[in-house]
Amino acid sequence: MSEIKPKEAPAADKKEAATEEKDWAAAKAHFENLKSTKPRPPKPKYAVTIAVSSRTLFDMVAERKIFEEEGLEKYVQHQQEHENEPLKPGPAFPFVKALMTVNERLRNLYPDSEELFDIVLMTNNHAQVGVRLMNSINHYDLTIERFCMTGGQSPIEYLKAYMTNLYLSKDSKKVQEAIEEGIAAAIMFKPDVETQLSETQLRVAFDGDAVLFSDESEIIVKQHGLDTFFEHEKQYENKPLAQGPLKCFLEALGKLQKKFYAKNERLNCPIRTFLVTARSAASSGARVLKTLRSWGLEIDEALFLAGAPKGPLLLKIRPHIFFDDQMFHIEGAKEMGTIAAHVPYGIGQKYNKGKLIEPEKQQK
């Protein structure tokens, strides 16, 4: 799993980097000369870049049905005919609004800083659909200035170009491809019931194994059982776990949190992170906390559930997004009103509720 930030240009590309800096300086001067109430987007190399697909940002179930049943031409025609009708919010909408809240606080504290969230709409829609998407974004006054409409092509190279810290989509194949390329990514799901979320604080909840950490310990659980797992974790308590696909995103959140701490805003920080793990605290929790410490990362709250359902605790936390690698935890969270995102990584993808999925069922 490759590190995503910080970003430094190779020595061979110094000339190109200098040209890029010159271009950004010109663009900055242009923006500053324009009269606009909207803030200019930050440079990708400084920003925490969040790429969201159109189907995660907006509810496009009806439009998707037209595409699948009637084809692309009818789909595009429908979108053009309804381009002045705003799309309804999708599962990523509250998360995006929370990112904007954090940016507002950061701009108040650091007016000239470009260490901000940068939200990019990354969609495989054709450009003809773009007008409705733009109208919807403007209707809700979302700060999304960068669009990539790939016309059905893979977004991976664009995700790399934007130095993406997190990619949220409903397309499992694209998410898996992103993870394989070292980009933090997850498949978003809409909760079964709506819950009231904080409007002043971004709340992000992570599972541990196969999300923040690698699946090395989970492999032992699945193949050798809990007793062997407990012995293994005790033996290797002081050996940090390898990083998982979402470690870099937690790292990016921590970087922004420290900007608030530097202004004596720790108790009023608009970012709060949670670890919600099925691990037991006494039997296997120490290695997790020591791993985070070795990475120089903090987690605001750590919940060790010892195998208990995560849904009830998540209902108390009310995160804007919860990441987990196992679908039965995602389903449990959804049922109780939590916006959940599946991270399709590790050995857990071969199991359902602790039972090995037969190969032919995995292919379906």
Side-chain angles (χ1 to χ4, degrees), residues 138-151:
N138 288 331
H139 172 78
Y140 295 109
D141 197 26
L142 302 178
T143 309
I144 302 177
E145 298 294 340
R146 305 194 203 277
F147 277 47
C148 278
M149 290 173 278
T150 68

Side-chain angles (χ1 to χ4, degrees), residues 283-313:
S283 305
S284 56
R287 191 181 185 195
V288 163
L289 297 179
K290 288 183 177 181
T291 295
L292 290 171
R293 185 192 303 164
S294 74
W295 291 345
L297 298 182
E298 295 183 23
I299 203 89
D300 293 306
E301 298 187 32
L303 305 175
F304 295 90
L305 305 188
K310 297 182 179 182
L313 267 294

Side-chain angles (χ1 to χ4, degrees), residues 90-99 101-102 168 188-189 191 195-205 270-272 274 314 317-323 337-341:
F93 191 93
F95 177 62
V96 167
K97 293 285 285 185
L99 298 177
T101 297
V102 175
L168 299 174
M188 287 208 77
F189 291 88
T195 55
Q196 188 68 35
L197 302 176
S198 174
E199 295 182 358
T200 59
Q201 186 178 64
L202 168 66
R203 295 181 152 228
V204 183
I271 303 172
R272 193 161 186 84
F274 303 80
L314 289 167
I317 295 171
R318 301 198 176 197
H320 291 89
I321 192 166
F322 162 61
F323 297 99
T338 295
I339 300 170

Side-chain angles (χ1 to χ4, degrees), residues 114-154:
E114 294 193 88
E115 292 183 331
L116 303 160
F117 288 114
D118 188 17
I119 307 157
V120 178
L121 186 69
M122 188 70 61
T123 174
N124 64 357
N125 268 294
H126 287 254
Q128 296 95 319
V129 180
V131 173
R132 191 177 189 194
L133 294 173
M134 293 174 186
N135 286 345
S136 298
I137 284 171
N138 288 331
H139 172 78
Y140 295 109
D141 197 26
L142 302 178
T143 309
I144 302 177
E145 298 294 340
R146 305 194 203 277
F147 277 47
C148 278
M149 290 173 278
T150 68
Q153 299 302 306
S154 171

Side-chain angles (χ1 to χ4, degrees), residues 252-280:
L253 291 176
K255 177 178 141 184
L256 294 184
Q257 282 181 308
K258 287 176 181 177
K259 292 178 73 68
F260 290 99
Y261 302 165
K263 295 288 188 178
N264 199 28
E265 292 280 332
R266 179 181 285 268
L267 297 179
N268 193 31
C269 182
I271 303 172
R272 193 161 186 84
T273 56
F274 303 80
L275 174 67
V276 183
T277 174
R279 283 179 177 244
S280 303

Side-chain angles (χ1 to χ4, degrees), residues 187 189 206-211 214-215 217-219 221-222 276-279 307 310 314 322-334 340-357:
I187 307 157
F189 291 88
F206 299 89
D207 178 30
D209 296 293
V211 175
S214 74
D215 66 339
S217 294
E218 199 161 315
I219 290 173
V221 174
K222 296 290 192 290
V276 183
T277 174
R279 283 179 177 244
K310 297 182 179 182
L314 289 167
F322 162 61
F323 297 99
D324 203 290
D325 67 303
Q326 300 192 52
M327 275 305 300
F328 73 91
H329 286 311
I330 297 292
E331 293 293 343
K334 279 175 63 232
H342 179 227
V343 181
Y345 172 82
I347 194 172
Q349 309 316 302
K350 299 179 180 180
Y351 289 78
N352 181 35
K353 297 182 180 180
K355 295 182 179 180
L356 184 65
I357 303 171

